[in-house]
Amino acid sequence: MKTAEATAATTTVLSPGYKRSPKSNGKVNGTAAKKTGVNHGNGGDISNGKASFMKWTLDDVVYVAKYHRLPCFFAAWFLFFIYVEYTLRMVPDSSPPFDLGFVVTRSFHRALASWPELNSLLAALNTVFVAMQSVYIIGTWVVEGRPRATISALFMFTCRGILGYSTQLPLPQLCHLVFIYFGNLPPFQCVLPPPTEFVGSGMDFPVGNVSFFLFYSGHVAGSVIASLDMRRMQRWELAWLFDILNVLQAVRLLGTRGHYTIDLAVGVGAGILFDSLAGKYIESRRKSAVA
């Protein structure tokens, strides 16, 4: 009975036709359910062979916009980027890739390129942060007996190696002038400093100036894995510290041209994904052992 009530409560929240009545004690408003024709038994998605939204009224649309603002927000951006994608002129093959993160950090890049001591100092600090990640992730297994973070890191770096080898990108470079095309408008000229290149340092961990995979950022993904584990253990201050250091790390990686923006963004997603997969793996092993 408790499971059925929980399912009913969940469906009530997600389906616009289910509106709570002040006296319903969390139960489904039968009138609203009949109004939208949603079959509660199948999770509020299908009724009489038709999708529930086919019977929505204006009130239901307003309800969704009011109580499900985040999906509506993403829906609006989805429509916007559909327009951008199908009206955007591709970067010519004779031009280097366009990266917005490089444009934003061009002043920082110039500073690092002209001041090697600063670049080496930041690289050394970044190496310390990577060591902190590694010690924490390995320590959760070796010291605390919790293997999830370690397993997720192994999953993540294995997948990174496969993808990094499968598509080997050139080190980032930019030219004097970049033309940004948007729709049918005339190209927008973005004047940049002279050609920029990767600014390496022997202090970078683990490879220094040696070759490395660009896609995706293992630095960022490892930080996310450690931060998620800290939150599970309610180590909030340490988790926030790692998040802040991860942001600073991402800015430095853009400034040195050590990663494209997409490498860093996918690194965040990879950390979340492989942490989740590691959790599912451990849970499956636990169920197998019980069975």
Side-chain angles (χ1 to χ4, degrees), residues 30-100:
T31 303
K34 292 179 180 179
K35 177 181 177 182
T36 55
V38 178
N39 186 344
H40 174 70
N42 55 28
D45 290 331
I46 304 295
S47 174
N48 300 325
K50 294 183 179 180
S52 60
F53 72 87
M54 297 296 290
K55 296 186 177 182
W56 283 8
T57 64
L58 180 59
D59 289 341
D60 296 320
V61 174
V62 172
Y63 176 87
V64 170
K66 183 177 181 181
Y67 293 101
H68 299 285
R69 295 177 182 176
L70 187 60
C72 292
F73 172 80
F74 283 119
W77 278 105
F78 166 74
L79 295 175
F80 171 74
F81 282 114
I82 285 290
Y83 168 76
V84 171
E85 180 176 4
Y86 289 103
T87 58
L88 189 69
R89 297 186 188 180
M90 304 295 287
V91 176
D93 56 4
S94 59
S95 300
F98 170 75
D99 192 294
L100 184 60

Side-chain angles (χ1 to χ4, degrees), residues 99 141 176 227 242 254 264:
D99 192 294
W141 173 42
H176 291 276
S227 175
F242 264 57
L254 286 173
L264 306 176

Side-chain angles (χ1 to χ4, degrees), residues 18-42:
Y18 290 117
K19 301 181 178 64
R20 291 181 183 271
S21 171
K23 298 181 180 180
S24 64
N25 295 324
K27 296 182 179 180
V28 175
N29 184 325
T31 303
K34 292 179 180 179
K35 177 181 177 182
T36 55
V38 178
N39 186 344
H40 174 70
N42 55 28

Side-chain angles (χ1 to χ4, degrees), residues 1-12 26-27 40:
M1 291 297 293
K2 291 184 178 180
T3 303
E5 292 176 0
T7 304
T10 303
T11 307
T12 300
K27 296 182 179 180
H40 174 70

Side-chain angles (χ1 to χ4, degrees), residues 87-239:
T87 58
L88 189 69
R89 297 186 188 180
M90 304 295 287
V91 176
D93 56 4
S94 59
S95 300
F98 170 75
D99 192 294
L100 184 60
F102 291 175
V103 176
V104 173
T105 59
R106 60 182 180 269
S107 298
F108 184 40
H109 173 79
R110 285 199 300 266
L112 294 176
S114 62
W115 194 355
E117 294 80 10
L118 174 62
N119 181 47
S120 294
L121 174 62
L122 296 180
L125 292 175
N126 205 156
T127 296
V128 172
F129 179 47
V130 173
M132 291 167 58
Q133 300 172 29
S134 304
V135 169
Y136 181 85
I137 290 174
I138 296 174
T140 57
W141 173 42
V142 175
V143 178
E144 300 180 355
R146 298 183 298 104
R148 176 169 173 171
T150 306
I151 293 174
S152 61
L154 292 175
F155 284 0
M156 181 271 291
F157 280 110
T158 299
C159 185
R160 177 177 180 270
I162 295 172
L163 294 176
Y165 184 80
S166 300
T167 302
Q168 300 178 35
L169 302 173
L171 282 172
Q173 290 189 2
L174 292 175
C175 58
H176 291 276
L177 188 64
V178 172
F179 292 91
I180 304 174
Y181 297 93
F182 185 82
N184 296 319
L185 299 177
F188 167 71
Q189 296 184 5
C190 179
V191 180
L192 299 175
T196 57
E197 298 178 350
F198 169 62
V199 182
S201 171
M203 301 299 294
D204 260 322
F205 178 85
V207 292
N209 285 317
V210 187
S211 61
F212 57 93
F213 292 135
L214 281 169
F215 187 83
Y216 43 83
S217 173
H219 287 68
V220 170
S223 303
V224 171
I225 289 172
S227 175
L228 290 173
D229 186 86
M230 292 168 185
R231 282 176 163 77
R232 275 193 299 272
M233 301 305 294
Q234 299 185 358
R235 296 165 178 166
W236 307 112
E237 293 81 4
L238 195 56

